[in-house]
Amino acid sequence: MAKAAITVKKLHYTYPNSTNEALHNVSLTIKEQEFVAIIGQTGSGKSTLVSLIDGLIKPSSGELNVVAGLEINATTKTEYLSKIHHQVGFVFQFPEQQLFAETVAEDIAFGPHNLGWPAKKIEKAVDEALKMVDLPLELKSHSPFALSGGQMRRVAIAGVLAMDPQILILDEPTAGLDTQATNDLLKLIKDLNEKGTTIIMVTHQMEQVAYYANHVIAMSNGQVVADTTPQQLFRDAQRLKKLSLTLPVSVEVAQFLSKDGITLKNTEPLTLDVLADEIAEAMRRKRK
Ligand code: ADP
C-alpha cells in the first residue's frame, strides 16, 4: 500500500480579516504518487486548502502532516513552514505572471538559489527542469518575455520543478491556454506523476478529472463533500447537479444512450476512447 503523502485532520481555517470559516472540519488523506483533482465552485475553499498544504498559511485549528514527519498546526512557527516549500511545489494560477528575470536560466534558478544550493547543482537542476518541461536548452539565455504564452508557462513550471518537489500543486494549470498547449501541459503533468511526483491539481474541467485523476476531492462551502474516484463521482449525476458540477462529455453521452435503451456495460466511460469501445461492444451485442 502506498504511504500517505498528506494527512489533514479536522482542519478549520478563518482568514484574519473575516468571521466566516473558509474551511470547516476538513479531513482527508492523499497517498504518495496519487493524481488528485480538487474541484468545486468558486469560493468553495480549494485555494485555501492547497495554500494550507503548501504551508503558505497556518490552520486556525486541526492539523496537517505533509510528507513524513512535517506537522503543521495552529501553533507552528512561521519559520518552520518554509520546510514545507522544499517538499511541496506550488504552481499558482497564471504562473508566467511571476516571471521576472532577464534570462530563462536565471528565472528557473531563482528557487534553487534561495534554497542555498551550490552553483553546479543549480546549473544541473535548471537543465533538468528545462528538459522535464520539454523546452530546448538553447532557451536558457533568452528573455522569458520573448517566448510564447505556452512556453512562458513552461518556464514558470520549470522554476518550481527545479527544486525537485515530491508533491506538486497546480492551481488551474491550463487556464487560458489553447487546446494544443493544454494537452501538452497535461501530458507533462501526467509524465511527472508516472515518474513518482504526487500531483494535486485544482481544476474546473471535468474532462481533466476523468482523463488524468485517480482521486477526486470535491469542495463546497469550505467542506469536503466528495472524496472518491472519478468513476464513483460521475456515477452520481444528481449529486453533481446539486454541487453545480457537470459530467464529462463521455459519461453524459453514455447516460443519453441509456435513456434510449442502449445500456453500456461501463456506465461511466471516463474517456471518449472508452466510450467508443463501449458503443462498439453494445452494437455487437445488439446484432447477436
Ligand atoms: P476557491 O479557491 O474554491 O475559489 P477560496 O479558498 O479562494 O475558494 O475561498 C474560500 C472562502 O474564503 C470564500 O468564501 C472566500 O471569499 C474566502 N476568502 C478567500 N481568500 C480570502 C482572503 N484573503 N480574505 C478573506 N476571505 C477570503
Side-chain angles (χ1 to χ4, degrees):
M1 269 258 285
K3 281 191 278 176
I6 294 160
T7 317
V8 174
K9 279 188 211 139
K10 297 187 181 159
L11 197 75
H12 293 253
Y13 186 79
T14 305
Y15 281 94
N17 55 349
S18 171
T19 47
N20 296 330
E21 278 192 326
L23 287 184
H24 177 77
N25 204 25
V26 169
S27 297
L28 53 92
T29 301
I30 293 173
K31 294 200 187 111
E32 280 180 357
Q33 229 190 314
E34 279 189 331
F35 193 130
V36 185
I38 301 193
I39 60 172
Q41 293 230 288
T42 302
S44 58
K46 305 180 299 293
S47 301
T48 307
L49 176 63
V50 289
S51 300
L52 280 154
I53 291 174
D54 194 42
L56 296 171
I57 49 179
K58 281 193 291 189
S60 306
S61 70
E63 65 175 59
L64 284 120
N65 281 278
V66 180
V67 197
L70 293 177
E71 187 180 309
I72 316 168
N73 58 37
T75 63
T76 302
K77 294 225 165 20
T78 308
E79 307 86 79
Y80 182 81
L81 293 178
S82 65
K83 283 194 181 193
I84 309 294
H85 303 301
H86 295 210
Q87 317 270 356
V88 184
F90 198 134
V91 177
F92 291 93
Q93 249 186 64
F94 300 105
E96 60 278 13
Q97 289 172 357
Q98 289 171 12
L99 296 172
F100 69 97
E102 279 182 22
T103 67
V104 165
E106 278 173 50
D107 222 304
I108 300 174
F110 181 72
H113 186 78
N114 277 346
L115 294 178
W117 290 4
K120 272 261 167 294
K121 186 174 172 185
I122 294 178
E123 206 177 313
K124 194 161 165 252
V126 169
D127 287 5
E128 278 173 8
L130 269 173
K131 277 188 216 145
M132 275 193 250
V133 298
D134 213 12
L135 286 176
L137 295 183
E138 296 90 81
L139 284 187
K140 281 203 297 186
S141 56
H142 290 218
S143 162
F145 303 104
L147 305 177
S148 73
Q151 285 177 322
M152 281 169 81
R153 187 159 303 180
R154 278 163 184 267
V155 170
I157 294 174
V160 175
L161 295 179
M163 291 179 279
D164 196 21
Q166 292 174 40
I167 299 169
L168 187 61
I169 297 172
L170 303 114
D171 192 354
E172 295 213 50
T174 62
L177 294 182
D178 63 28
T179 311
Q180 184 63 46
T182 294
N183 291 340
D184 290 349
L185 184 55
L186 288 166
K187 185 178 173 306
L188 186 150
I189 298 167
K190 181 82 188 156
D191 284 350
L192 287 169
N193 178 242
E194 278 166 7
K195 285 184 193 136
T197 310
T198 306
I199 302 290
I200 302 172
M201 181 170 86
V202 175
T203 181
H204 281 109
Q205 308 291 324
M206 293 306 126
E207 260 66 34
Q208 295 184 1
V209 178
Y211 272 71
Y212 296 98
N214 50 30
H215 180 175
V216 56
I217 294 169
M219 309 280 304
S220 178
N221 288 324
Q223 299 186 58
V224 172
V225 287
D227 182 353
T228 182
T229 61
Q231 191 91 30
Q232 283 292 344
L233 180 80
F234 296 134
R235 195 160 286 169
D236 195 348
Q238 293 303 326
R239 187 176 179 200
L240 281 174
K241 213 169 173 186
K242 266 196 214 141
L243 297 170
S244 304
L245 298 169
T246 53
L247 285 170
V249 169
S250 51
V251 180
E252 211 166 358
V253 170
Q255 294 194 347
F256 277 128
L257 290 174
S258 163
K259 279 185 196 139
D260 280 346
I262 305 170
T263 306
L264 307 181
K265 265 197 181 147
N266 176 351
T267 47
E268 296 80 34
L270 292 182
T271 68
L272 292 174
D273 287 347
V274 174
L275 173 68
D277 288 348
E278 288 288 333
I279 292 175
E281 168 70 25
M283 294 316 211
R284 272 196 294 275
R285 277 202 309 274
K286 215 171 175 187
R287 270 196 222 110
K288 272 184 194 162

